Structures are given as C-alpha cells and as structure tokens.
Amino acid sequence: MISLGIEGTAWSLSVGVVDEDEVLLIENDPYIPKEGGIHPREAAQHHSERIGPLIKSVLSKVDKVDVVSFSQGPGMGPCLRIVATAARVLSLKLGKPLVGVNHCLAHLEVGRWKTGAKNPVTLYVSGGNSQVIARRGKRYRVFGETLDIGIGNALDKLARYMGLKHPGGPRIEELAKRGKKYHELPYVVKGMDFSFSGMVTAAQKLYDDGVSKEDVAFSFQETAFAMLAEVSERAMAYLDRDELLLVGGVGANSRLAEMLKVMCKERNAKFYSPPKELMGDNGAMIAYLGLLMFKHGYETRLENSTVKPDFRIEEVDVSWD
Ligand code: AMP
Ligand code: MG
C-alpha cells in the first residue's frame, strides 16, 4: 500500500510517499522568509503557489497512490487551509481515501518506525512545539511542555536578535561550538513544564551588555537543553521507561543529542533519533502516519477534514501497537 502525505503546518511545504517498509520519496519546497520570522499569511501564499507543482512532480514519479494523507494540525491556520484544500482535491481526483493526521503524532510515529523504539518517552522539540510525550494505553499523553514558546522559536528569536538569518537554530549551534564562557540564564522548570521566553530576554540582555555571540549561544544551549533533559529524565523515571526518542527539527542539534545520550547512559536506557531528513517537518512522516491509521480503520470524511490549528496529540485514539 502506498501513501502520499502533505505537510505544510508552518514553514515547510513537503510531499512524501511511503509504503509499509520505507520512505520512497520526499520533495520539499520550503518557505524561507526574506527577513524576520515566519509570517503566517506569507507562508500560506507561498504554499498556495507551490503546492500544485510539487504534487504534480511527486505524482510523476510514483506508479500509484492508495491513500492521501495531510497534516490537519496543529499549525498556522492559513497554511493548514492550503494543505487541506490540496489534499481534498487530490483525494477526489484520484478517487482515493483521505486521512487527516496530527502533526506531532506523525513526528513521533515516524521516529518509532525508523528507529525501532517500542514504548519510549519522546522529547518532541520543534519550532512551535516542545513536549515530553509518552503513551498510556490507547492515548499518548503530554507529561511536560513549554508554557510559552517552543525551543526552536526561542533559538530563532535569539538568533534574529543577534543579526543571524532564519532559521537560527543551526546557526546558534555553530556559534555555541566556539563558546568558551558560561553565563548564567534563568533555568525555568516548573513541575514537568518549562519556559523559554524569559531566557530569550535574558540572553538578549547578555548580548546587549557585550557578551560575544558565541558565549551567548553556548550559555543558551547549555541552559535550555539541560531543562529539556531534566524533564525527559523525570518522565522516564516516573513512567519506568528505558527508551528515549528525540524528534522534531531541533532534534538535529548535536549538543542536545549528546546531553540526552549521557543521561540515558547513566540510567541504562536506550537513546533513539531518526535520520536527519525525517527530523524536521516533512511529508513522509505525514504519509507514514496516514498509512498506519488507514490500515487501522481510520478515514477522514470530507465534512470532517476541516483544519485543527490547536489539535493536541491526546485527542487521537491510538489503536495500533
Ligand atoms: P520543525 O518545526 O520541526 O521543522 O523544526 C524547525 C526548527 O528547528 C527551527 O526553529 C530551527 O531553527 C530548528 N533547528 C533546525 N536545525 C537545528 C539545529 N541543528 N539546532 C537547533 N535548532 C535547529
Ligand atoms: Mg514539527
């Protein structure tokens, strides 16, 4: 069975194709802001201009499609609407079933699929989201999450303040490698939740006070990633899990992965992360979750295919292993 998935919740516009065993194809046409951060309407405009040619290009490379999957949320409303419209049209045109999927769950399930992690605690870190997730019975539950902005947005915001281009995460990572001196920043973990916006403000102040970009980036990463590692570890301890899965765009950061690996080693736990092309937002993860759901009896009728900008992972009934 072959599933085609469309992703476009924010900056990434991507179409992927998978079968039960592997990712067959991913084609991307991302929105890259000329300056500043992601503007929802500009991103949607970009998606609406590019989605047609992108789908055409992908269809010319596959023999058949059995299911059309799309990310139904969470994400930016204007972007989601473009993707949902394209998916409906494609499903009608091909006469194939439609499956709307939860974007966060897609990150998680593609991670499990490609790493072999069975019942992990998942640290999902991306632009807009930062959550510690684990499955209990037929639902995934969020055990800890950001109280304000996602870690990716925090990195992007700090980078922009220091004159670096979007996306800032990878640039902060490069700068941090050359950082020498650690400057203290607010370490905000409240119970199982965390917060980044105060840290961004404090880091911006360090930069204004003349601290080098390298040291600001280094101090920011060390503090923020320690917070994420602490909550992930606590979730593993509470839930008695010995697997940690790292997913989402910020998961590409090697310092974050390194800190989590050390933590896992100390607890005798296994650390997993999927290949880089499946880390950030991509169409293949949507295609994979659509396939998994369809095989387990899910199908989205047209009248239920409206977008869900605040779609939570807990809302999805999970009937697969
Ligand atoms: P996503 O929303 O999952 O596609 O992730 C996008 C976010 O990942 C953006 O905020 C990027 O700045 C961030 N990102 C990508 N690569 C890295 C990296 N190497 N280190 C830190 N953040 C990164
Ligand atoms: Mg994402």
Side-chain angles (χ1 to χ4, degrees):
M1 187 175 281
I2 292 186
S3 169
L4 178 149
I6 311 174
E7 161 58 28
T9 53
W11 62 277
S12 161
L13 184 67
S14 173
V15 179
V17 182
V18 307
D19 64 15
E20 277 97 340
D21 302 317
E22 57 184 340
V23 173
L24 302 174
L25 184 69
I26 303 179
E27 286 199 13
N28 301 313
D29 192 346
Y31 157 74
I32 299 164
K34 284 186 199 71
E35 54 177 1
I38 301 170
H39 190 293
R41 251 178 299 118
E42 262 180 30
Q45 182 65 31
H46 164 273
H47 292 1
S48 72
E49 285 162 13
R50 307 295 177 78
I51 188 74
L54 193 58
I55 290 176
K56 222 180 213 166
S57 161
V58 168
L59 287 179
S60 74
K61 294 177 187 123
V62 293
D63 299 332
K64 62 162 188 157
V65 171
D66 300 303
V67 187
V68 176
S69 321
F70 70 103
S71 54
Q72 203 165 6
M76 298 174 169
C79 298
L80 292 172
R81 283 193 284 278
I82 301 297
V83 168
T85 307
R88 283 178 208 121
V89 171
L90 188 62
S91 150
L92 287 171
K93 184 153 185 285
L94 299 175
K96 298 294 175 186
L98 186 65
V99 183
V101 311
N102 178 285
H103 173 96
C104 312
L105 185 55
H107 272 289
L108 198 157
E109 290 296 356
V110 87
R112 282 182 62 217
W113 184 44
K114 283 296 149 196
T115 62
K118 289 184 185 66
N119 194 12
V121 165
T122 299
L123 175 61
Y124 166 42
V125 277
S126 70
N129 301 287
S130 300
Q131 296 179 323
V132 175
I133 305 165
R135 183 163 166 181
R136 298 295 297 272
K138 296 287 176 203
R139 299 264 167 156
Y140 280 97
R141 302 282 177 198
V142 175
F143 287 87
E145 65 188 309
T146 180
L147 296 167
D148 40 52
I149 55 177
I151 177 66
N153 284 354
L155 290 163
D156 295 341
K157 215 170 149 187
L158 176 61
R160 205 150 62 232
Y161 193 78
M162 299 197 296
L164 307 166
K165 277 198 153 162
H166 190 86
R171 298 171 215 274
I172 295 274
E173 176 171 19
E174 283 315 304
L175 284 170
K177 285 182 187 155
R178 300 195 299 273
K180 292 193 178 67
K181 187 168 183 305
Y182 177 78
H183 294 262
E184 201 163 321
L185 287 167
Y187 183 100
V188 189
V189 174
K190 297 183 182 177
M192 293 290 281
D193 293 326
F194 32 85
S195 140
F196 297 113
S197 68
M199 265 188 78
V200 173
T201 312
Q204 289 171 339
K205 183 154 186 313
L206 285 181
Y207 180 65
D208 288 342
D209 292 344
V211 176
S212 72
K213 285 179 190 169
E214 287 80 2
D215 285 348
V216 173
F218 171 68
S219 306
F220 191 90
Q221 279 200 172
E222 293 303 300
T223 313
F225 296 168
M227 286 157 49
L228 294 169
E230 181 195 324
V231 176
S232 304
E233 178 169 29
R234 191 137 12 98
M236 291 168 79
Y238 283 160
L239 295 164
D240 205 12
R241 302 279 167 95
D242 60 0
E243 298 175 305
L244 179 69
L245 173 64
L246 174 64
V247 300
V250 183
N253 188 293
S254 49
R255 178 60 184 146
L256 174 59
E258 186 189 354
M259 284 168 77
L260 296 170
K261 270 181 213 160
V262 169
M263 179 271 278
C264 285
K265 197 159 175 235
E266 281 172 3
R267 309 183 48 80
N268 257 334
K270 287 187 215 84
F271 173 79
Y272 297 97
S273 65
K276 226 168 179 173
E277 69 271 18
L278 297 176
M279 273 281 189
D281 294 349
N282 67 85
M285 68 183 196
I286 305 301
Y288 174 68
L289 180 54
L291 179 75
L292 190 62
M293 290 177 70
F294 185 70
K295 283 176 64 177
H296 286 83
Y298 298 77
E299 188 180 333
T300 307
R301 293 171 173 282
L302 274 187
E303 63 270 27
N304 295 330
S305 66
T306 46
V307 303
K308 302 179 179 176
D310 302 316
F311 198 3
R312 300 267 310 175
I313 196 168
E314 300 98 323
E315 294 173 51
V316 185
D317 249 318
V318 179
S319 58
W320 52 89
D321 283 339

